[in-house]
Amino acid sequence: MLLYLHIPFCDSKCSYCAFNSYVDKFGQREAYMNALHTQLFHELDRFEVSVDNPIETVFIGGGTPSTVDPKLYAPLFATIAPFLAPDAEITSEANPNSATAHWLEGMFALGVNRISFGVQSFEDTKLKTLGRAHNTAHAIDAIRTAHAIGFKHLSCDLIYGVIGDTQESLLADVTMAFSLPIDHISLYALTIEENTLFETKPQMSQEQLELTQWLFSEIESRGFTQYEISNFGKTPSLHNMGYWQHKDYMGVGAGAVGFLKNTRFYPSTDVDCYSASPLEIHTESLQANALLSEKLFLGFRSCVGVEASILTPTQAKTAQWLCEEKLLHYTKGRYHNPNFLLADEIALRVEGY
Ligand code: SF4
């Protein structure tokens, strides 16, 4: 069982970001955190969480979780404490400018054992281009401070495919990342989304296949295994692995999504509506073919792969043919994709498109 908590507040809006985040709602933090607590109780009940059905991973994402003081998280942690698996992975995202020593120490004391920093680049010009609120020095300081405090696992997000990226500049980012005490990198290609500052500047995104392949191999050559199209590490994020393995997850917060068996749960995305009525949750039943399609797309994008027994006879034939073409591998009842950059194409092929 996984638990996701969404914090929709940010210090400023990055130019490429279409996430559900607000820069002008800080006055509502307490009301929002109380609403989270109300929904959390409801979900613990709905998902029948107990010592025998414990929470294996917690992920606090956003938005920017480091914009909320640890003391406002304390009641949530007190509520989940009896249901946490003994070795639960507890991650919080954080931005380098707001992840102060005070914030990091407070989250560590609550039991967070993994921090995922929104670094994006170690080059100030690129950070400005992306509209980030921090600079390189903030990022380096925050990672070192987190390590000194004792966090077991540290990750940093990097963005590539940005106008001006060169092999040299990306190498500088990777080299700096590996000089820091991290065990994981999430690597995202810049995409242009609707309702962002970059919407009218599509030229900001400049993904080049050769550079992407080079970047992947550069990170792998330094000892981080690519276990999903955007994720590399010595230790994988168990929470993300859980999504790709199609485990049940509670989604708590404005714009979070929950999943139980074949049903999705959608609380309101609007912070005001959510704070007023956190239990107004829309549900969606997923048909068997939609679930199968998701398993194909998530499985072929990651080391999870796809269980052969879920495929129809026609799909199994296609998968077998892809094995002969060396585009898939078959081991222990599962098909695995050795080249994540081809994941969507392979999933569509197997699905029958
Ligand atoms: S900090 Fe993250 S969530 Fe907030 S605006 Fe920037 S990219 Fe979006």
Side-chain angles (χ1 to χ4, degrees), residues 9-19 21 23 62-64 95 120 131-132:
F9 310 110
C10 284
D11 299 315
S12 61
K13 194 76 186 170
C14 305
S15 310
Y16 54 91
C17 179
F19 292 147
S21 67
V23 294
T64 309
N95 271 351
Q120 318 312 350
R132 298 289 303 183

Side-chain angles (χ1 to χ4, degrees), residues 150-335:
F151 284 97
K152 228 167 140 189
H153 301 292
L154 296 174
S155 176
C156 79
D157 292 355
L158 294 176
I159 290 191
Y160 68 101
V162 180
I163 192 166
D165 277 358
T166 59
Q167 189 162 318
E168 205 184 359
S169 68
L170 294 172
L171 181 62
D173 272 347
V174 171
T175 308
M176 178 54 87
F178 276 91
S179 74
L180 295 167
I182 59 166
D183 62 357
H184 190 276
I185 291 178
S186 294
L187 182 72
Y188 299 107
L190 176 67
T191 49
I192 304 295
E193 308 278 353
E194 281 179 17
N195 303 319
T196 64
L197 270 171
F198 278 175
E199 185 181 5
T200 54
K201 298 180 180 173
Q203 73 279 8
M204 300 310 286
S205 164
Q206 303 258 342
E207 196 181 347
Q208 302 162 52
L209 185 60
E210 258 180 46
L211 204 53
T212 304
Q213 284 165 333
W214 169 82
L215 189 53
F216 285 4
S217 59
E218 192 59 38
I219 295 175
E220 285 219 287
S221 72
R222 290 163 193 248
F224 281 14
T225 306
Q226 184 176 27
Y227 65 100
E228 196 258 353
I229 190 160
S230 305
N231 286 285
F232 300 75
K234 281 192 177 150
T235 321
S237 153
L238 298 178
H239 187 84
N240 286 338
M241 287 287 283
Y243 288 140
W244 307 324
Q245 289 162 336
H246 253 237
K247 289 189 174 175
D248 294 331
Y249 50 87
M250 295 176 273
V252 177
V257 179
F259 176 73
L260 180 61
K261 296 190 181 99
N262 57 355
T263 307
R264 284 243 154 79
F265 304 100
Y266 301 94
S268 171
T269 55
D270 181 275
V271 168
D272 300 304
C273 295
Y274 178 83
S275 300
S277 321
L279 301 186
E280 230 169 73
I281 299 170
H282 164 74
T283 59
E284 176 195 21
S285 292
L286 295 166
Q287 302 300 320
N289 58 347
L291 282 170
L292 173 65
S293 175
E294 257 183 39
K295 285 181 181 167
L296 295 180
F297 278 88
L298 297 177
F300 289 138
R301 284 172 74 95
S302 67
C303 64
V304 169
V306 171
E307 201 182 313
S309 63
I310 66 166
L311 301 180
T312 65
T314 318
Q315 291 170 338
K317 227 171 150 184
T318 310
Q320 208 45 52
W321 174 75
L322 288 166
C323 286
E324 282 156 27
E325 296 295 310
K326 309 233 175 321
L327 291 166
L328 284 181
H329 295 158
Y330 180 81
T331 29
K332 297 184 187 152
R334 300 187 85 83
Y335 290 103

Side-chain angles (χ1 to χ4, degrees), residues 82-112:
F83 309 117
L84 283 175
D87 49 355
E89 174 193 270
I90 307 178
T91 304
S92 179
E93 290 183 333
N95 271 351
N97 53 310
S98 46
T100 57
H102 163 80
W103 186 84
L104 289 164
E105 276 160 7
M107 297 306 275
F108 187 72
L110 288 174
V112 173

